[in-house]
Amino acid sequence: MKKIFWNKKYALKIAKKEKIKIKKIHWKIIFFTRNFYLKFHIIPSIRILLTAINKTYKKKLNSVDLINLFPKNPAIKISKIAGIPNPKKCI
């Protein structure tokens, strides 16, 4: 099996397949999630993700906002685009 190295080009390709047009806030969420996973070897919970994004970027995002940004199943789509494993529990 061919190993794929993650980069922004790869992320954009996956996002396009998922019919997500990546904007600045998407990148913030994707990079936070990816960096969190690479540092702690676990996927951040939605609560941790929202708390960190809201605190770091002075945003007021909630779980509905995540669903609007990453439709149907945000946790799985964020993980897929970030090039990390799918979370065990999803909203």
Side-chain angles (χ1 to χ4, degrees), residues 32-44 48:
F32 174 84
T33 304
R34 182 170 173 77
N35 291 335
F36 188 97
Y37 176 78
L38 293 174
K39 184 174 182 178
F40 299 109
H41 306 287
I42 59 170
I43 312 297
I48 290 171

Side-chain angles (χ1 to χ4, degrees), residues 21-74:
K21 186 174 179 184
I22 300 288
K23 297 179 181 169
K24 199 181 250 187
I25 189 64
H26 290 90
W27 285 123
K28 291 174 182 177
I29 293 167
I30 291 163
F31 281 117
F32 174 84
T33 304
R34 182 170 173 77
N35 291 335
F36 188 97
Y37 176 78
L38 293 174
K39 184 174 182 178
F40 299 109
H41 306 287
I42 59 170
I43 312 297
S45 69
I46 294 300
R47 182 179 295 165
I48 290 171
L49 174 63
L50 287 171
T51 300
I53 294 296
N54 289 337
K55 185 176 181 182
T56 305
Y57 298 108
K58 309 281 191 263
K59 298 284 183 189
K60 294 291 181 196
L61 295 178
N62 59 42
S63 57
V64 174
D65 296 322
L66 278 184
I67 292 169
N68 289 330
L69 291 166
F70 300 92
K72 296 185 182 167
N73 196 326

